[in-house]
């Protein structure tokens, strides 16, 4: 189970909307979704939380590249929504290795050509698991200017989305979409 919400900063304060990520296939799609929530190019935060296992913050400021923080990359890697956030750049990988990593993560036994390649696939999966670190990745200073320090962000667990919203003074608006 996951929860995702958009918090758009406006001149009147924060506005929240819940969002479905089912049609989002990439970070670019997610950034476009966030930009649509704020036609004035204000700051928009995408907050994603999955069963208290991990949370992610994506910050979009106008047309700038999104800034991302993920609390536990290894846990997020096991989630289709987490995979959207775990870009090659965020994980320190060379761009273009994405196809191999996605194949390696597909461990449901339905891969094409399951014969001698099975052992190689298991090795690749083990290798890709090591490539995704346990613990936080990304820009831990993503919310510094909004009043949530790196130290506070890294120490959050449980209802981190609620803690972030409370720190921003947006808990009431977030609760209306929760």
């Amino acid at each position: 189970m996951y929860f995702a919400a958009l918090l758009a900063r406006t001149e009147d304060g924060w506005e929240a909307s819940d969002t479905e990520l089912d049609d989002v296939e990439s970070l670019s799609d997610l950034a476009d979704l966030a930009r649509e929530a704020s036609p004035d190019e204000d700051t928009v935060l995408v907050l994603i939380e999955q069963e208290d296992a991990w949370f992610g913050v994506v910050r979009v400021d106008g047309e700038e590249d999104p800034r991302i923080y993920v609390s536990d990359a290894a846990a997020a890697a096991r989630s289709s929504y987490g995979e959207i956030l775990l870009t090659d750049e965020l994980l320190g990988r060379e761009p273009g290795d994405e196809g191999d990593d996605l194949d390696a993560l597909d461990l449901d036994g339905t891969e094409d050509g399951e014969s001698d390649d099975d052992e190689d696939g298991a090795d690749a999966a083990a290798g890709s698991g090591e490539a995704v670190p346990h613990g936080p990745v990304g820009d831990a200073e993503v919310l510094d200017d909004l009043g949530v320090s790196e130290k506070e962000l890294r120490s959050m667990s449980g209802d981190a989305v609620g803690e972030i919203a409370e720190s921003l003074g947006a808990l009431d608006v977030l609760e209306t979409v929760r």
Side-chain angles (χ1 to χ4, degrees):
M1 190 78 183
Y2 78 98
F3 172 73
L6 297 173
L7 285 179
R9 188 176 188 185
T10 68
E11 59 186 44
D12 297 327
W14 291 97
E15 292 180 8
S17 57
D18 63 343
T19 186
E20 285 295 322
L21 300 179
D22 294 339
D23 295 331
V24 174
E25 296 180 5
S26 68
L27 181 59
S28 178
D29 292 345
L30 188 61
D32 290 344
L33 182 70
R35 288 183 184 105
E36 289 171 12
S38 179
D40 296 331
E41 296 190 3
D42 292 319
T43 298
V44 179
L45 302 176
V46 181
L47 304 174
I48 303 171
E49 182 175 70
Q50 186 161 13
E51 297 179 349
D52 297 334
W54 67 274
F55 70 92
V57 177
V58 178
R59 179 177 177 160
V60 178
D61 292 301
E63 292 300 317
E64 292 182 29
D65 288 340
R67 295 170 59 193
I68 306 164
Y69 175 80
V70 177
S71 66
D72 187 337
R78 294 186 295 269
S79 160
S80 59
Y81 303 114
E83 288 178 354
I84 294 169
L85 306 181
L86 298 175
T87 63
D88 288 337
E89 181 181 343
L90 191 69
L91 296 174
R93 294 184 195 153
E94 290 297 318
D97 292 342
E98 183 176 329
D100 294 338
D101 292 340
L102 292 177
D103 290 340
L105 291 175
D106 187 11
L107 302 175
D108 65 358
T110 60
E111 294 88 334
D112 293 334
E114 291 181 17
S115 59
D116 296 336
D117 295 337
D118 286 350
E119 290 179 17
D120 294 338
D123 291 343
S128 69
E130 293 171 17
V132 179
H134 289 276
V137 295
D139 184 354
E141 297 175 351
V142 68
L143 300 174
D144 268 0
D145 64 324
L146 299 175
V148 181
S149 72
E150 175 181 354
K151 182 179 178 183
E152 289 172 305
L153 190 63
R154 288 184 184 271
S155 68
M156 290 181 181
S157 62
D159 182 20
V161 168
E163 289 180 50
I164 291 168
E166 185 173 18
S167 296
L168 299 175
L171 184 59
D172 291 341
V173 295
L174 179 71
E175 290 301 321
T176 63
V177 298
R178 203 171 235 188

